Amino acid sequence: MSVEEKHATDLITVGYLCIGCPLGCRLEVDADTITNAVVEVRGYSCRRGKDYAIQEHTAPMRLVTTTVAVDAGLWARLPVRSRTPVPKDKVKAICKHLRSIRVTAPVASGAIIWVDDREPGIEIVASRAMPAR
Amino acid sequence: MITAAPRHLRASYDVVIVGGGPAGLEAAVAARDNGAAHVLVVDRDQEAGGILLQCIHSGFGLHRFGEELTGPEYAQRVVASTLEHDIDVIADAYVLDIDERRRVKLMTTQAGVSLVEARAVVLAMGARERTRAAIRIPGTRPAGIFTAGLAQRLVNLYGLLPGRRAVILGSGDIGLIMARRLTLEGIEVAGVFEIMPYANGLNRNIVQCLHDFDIPLHLSTTVVEIRGQNRVEGVTVAPLDETLQPRLDRAWDIPCDTLLVSIGLIPENELSQQMRLRFDSATRGPVVSSAMECSRDGIFACGNVVHIHDLVDFVSAEAMVAGRSAGQYVAGTLPRPDNVQLQPGANVAYCVPHTISTEREHTVYLRARKPLDACTLQLTEPDGTPVYARKLRYVFPAEMVNLKLRPAILQNFHGSILRVNIVERATEGE
Ligand SMILES: Cc1cc2nc3c(=O)[nH]c(=O)nc-3n(C[C@H](O)[C@H](O)[C@H](O)COP(=O)(O)OP(=O)(O)OC[C@H]3O[C@@H](n4cnc5c(N)ncnc54)[C@H](O)[C@@H]3O)c2cc1C
Ligand code: SF4
């Protein structure tokens, strides 16, 4: 088997559930095991499904939404979100870190609660204003 | 003005709105914009915003605001708009009763019971969750059993975690959202169990709340027993056979200290029942006209109190109709009554509103009974004569269908009952 042939046959197939609409097409992605490049997508019924499969396979992103503790606020927790979606594999660690954060009311809507200095672009902001109680 | 003190209020209002969720707040703004000078919104919680305050995830507002917001962000926008419209909002106030003369009886911790007069009323009390009692799971009665929405409130507003290891019964969106929420708060979620052969929640939630965290979803499976004396110690789950009977020979035990039940919402209608409004047994909400008017003059309703919505954006749209009508009622400009009754037919669980007019444009919300692929939504006369048909790529009970009805569509229809059906269609391509 030549290198090129070997390369061409070293594909991994991964399944995804399309979230584009309630039809929930079962998508299959063939990707190169070494570069992870998508070679083929199957199972979609519309363009959205194909785009989604490629995005999900190569760079899945998620919006982080969780809460942090707030002292002296109307409620005990302040809802927060990432300003923009973050890489999926970062979500758990971000939320774990946010569990250790405490802020004090009043907090303005959109106020920056935490910036990850190791990951440029990850910024956690308040989803609402929190009045003092 | 936002207040918690009844002494800040007027003795009478043009429109009083019961419930300060998105439905109530949007209705208030629309009432102001359509002739009501003095509008009051009453909410029993400590601030207005409704269920959105605890729905910290995103997925709200794509239709209404053209961008994806979290629940609190959506709530904040509608609250801001009520304040700009000079609407009074009283929190921490419970509406106990509304009498024949539309006097609204309020109870507050500060001032006890007081009366406010209203020329029109909008009911927007939202919904509450079905509980374990509604599905009768056998076993003991230990602590550790929560509805998913209550757990959501405890976690997201009060910072109280329900336990360490949870099982979730029901695959509706609230259950799925809570599976992720608990996981992110460090609670282990052993699995989600769904009695139906299909998941009830959005695929997006299946993927982003379960798959992302390797939480198993067991379809056609249910909880058959809850164990534990003071606290839940475990549950027994079993797959179901075709007749929906649990196969006890294939049951298995799961140790856990928490069970969340997410088995649907029921419109919160004690007040409407007290007022003896006509009810629809399918929606469990009041019967409404295309003006969102109930069976009593000057009483309007919108949002989850009328029927359970899956998107808050549609709640907003419906509330704008209810609020506008309440304003018009007060101003004496309410359009002529409806002349057509809508009747749910094949595979249609319900339609809202219950009546429409052939003179105006309407949005009719309906829900299918069972999922279908390629199908046709058709309007017929009671004898089956076709009036209108529209192809749908699919229907799914968890997803509301909305139908825009224009007078042109009903041009050749002169009856008074219109039947709504969703029928299978031979797949002949899109
Ligand atoms: C967990 C969960 C997740 C959801 N996720 C999404 C989503 O991702 N995207 C989306 O678009 N939609 C979502 N929804 C749906 C959306 O939030 C609801 O459809 C919407 O909030 C309903 O609005 P409402 O105003 O009718 O009711 P509610 O928001 O429930 O408001 C009703 C208000 O009435 C008050 N009230 C009730 N009775 C009285 C009384 N007697 N006196 C005074 N006040 C009273 C209550 O305190 C409450 O504030 C979700 C809902 C839930 C529960
Ligand atoms: S591929 Fe297209 S049709 Fe299929 S689920 Fe995705 S969006 Fe829907």
Side-chain angles (χ1 to χ4, degrees), chain B residues 88-136:
Chain B
D88 287 352
V89 179
I90 182 169
D92 262 327
Y94 198 103
V95 174
L96 293 171
D97 188 31
I98 299 168
D99 69 11
E100 281 82 50
R101 289 158 56 196
R102 290 194 285 273
R103 285 181 305 189
V104 180
K105 194 190 278 179
L106 298 181
M107 190 175 67
T108 60
T109 36
Q110 287 196 3
V113 174
S114 48
L115 276 184
V116 174
E117 278 178 33
R119 294 171 66 196
V121 169
V122 180
L123 303 175
M125 290 91 76
R128 72 184 138 73
E129 290 179 282
R130 271 177 226 265
T131 60
R132 172 195 181 188
I135 51 165
R136 299 196 210 93

Side-chain angles (χ1 to χ4, degrees), chain A residues 17-19 21-24 45-46 48 52 56 61-63 65-67 74-81 88 91-92 95-96 99 109 127-129 131 133, chain B residues 45-47 53 56-58 68-70 72-73 76 153 155-159 180-181 183-186 203-204 206-208 211-213 373 393-394 396 399:
Chain A
L17 170 64
C18 184
I19 66 172
C21 79
L23 283 183
S45 316
C46 76
R48 239 184 322 158
Y52 170 76
E56 259 316 82
M61 304 291 276
R62 299 286 186 267
L63 198 77
T65 54
T66 184
T67 63
L74 183 61
W75 302 100
R77 305 294 292 188
L78 171 72
V80 299
R81 59 172 285 180
K88 181 179 118 178
V91 172
K92 267 190 151 172
C95 288
K96 190 163 181 200
R99 276 192 257 150
S109 182
S127 304
R128 59 165 291 174
R133 89 148 33 258
Chain B
D45 213 336
Q46 56 169 338
E47 65 174 336
L53 296 175
I56 62 158
H57 57 282
S58 66
E68 200 175 314
L69 304 172
T70 65
E73 287 169 320
Q76 202 161 260
R153 187 172 167 94
V155 172
N156 292 346
L157 297 178
Y158 298 97
R180 171 174 64 189
R181 211 38 219 128
T183 307
L184 290 175
E185 289 296 338
N203 290 324
R204 172 177 144 131
I206 305 275
V207 170
Q208 300 190 351
H211 295 181
D212 277 9
F213 302 98
D373 284 340
R393 285 170 68 207
Y394 57 83
F396 199 65
E399 197 188 28

Side-chain angles (χ1 to χ4, degrees), chain B residues 183-294:
Chain B
T183 307
L184 290 175
E185 289 296 338
I187 296 168
E188 189 187 346
V189 177
V192 175
F193 297 86
E194 169 59 54
I195 199 160
M196 301 305 285
Y198 49 85
N200 262 311
L202 298 172
N203 290 324
R204 172 177 144 131
N205 288 335
I206 305 275
V207 170
Q208 300 190 351
C209 299
L210 301 185
H211 295 181
D212 277 9
F213 302 98
D214 298 318
I215 299 168
L217 168 63
H218 299 266
L219 299 174
S220 298
T221 310
T222 192
V223 171
V224 290
E225 198 191 340
I226 301 171
R227 281 170 286 109
Q229 282 316 310
N230 300 319
R231 175 82 200 189
V232 174
E233 285 161 16
V235 297
T236 305
V237 297
L240 303 164
D241 63 20
E242 301 74 49
T243 63
L244 292 185
Q245 288 307 305
R247 299 259 328 249
L248 294 178
D249 54 319
R250 288 172 54 200
W252 75 98
D253 291 344
I254 303 173
C256 62
D257 62 5
T258 303
L259 174 67
L260 298 195
V261 285
S262 171
I263 47 179
L265 301 169
I266 319 177
E268 172 92 53
N269 270 308
E270 278 64 29
L271 197 56
S272 345
Q273 260 148 3
Q274 236 164 279
M275 295 167 69
R276 298 177 185 282
L277 300 178
R278 263 188 69 210
F279 267 72
D280 175 344
S281 58
T283 57
R284 301 224 203 180
V287 169
V288 289
S289 72
S290 64
M292 299 308 293
E293 191 171 22
C294 303

Side-chain angles (χ1 to χ4, degrees), chain B residues 18-24 42-45 49-52 55 57-61 93-95 124-127 152 174 177 265 268 271 302-305 309-313 315:
Chain B
V18 190
V42 185
D43 199 284
R44 64 182 172 194
D45 213 336
I51 203 86
L52 291 175
C55 297
H57 57 282
S58 66
F60 302 84
Y94 198 103
V95 174
M125 290 91 76
Q152 188 182 47
I174 315 181
I177 295 276
L265 301 169
E268 172 92 53
L271 197 56
C302 55
N304 275 355
V305 80
H309 294 65
D310 26 60
L311 279 187
V312 66
D313 305 68
V315 169

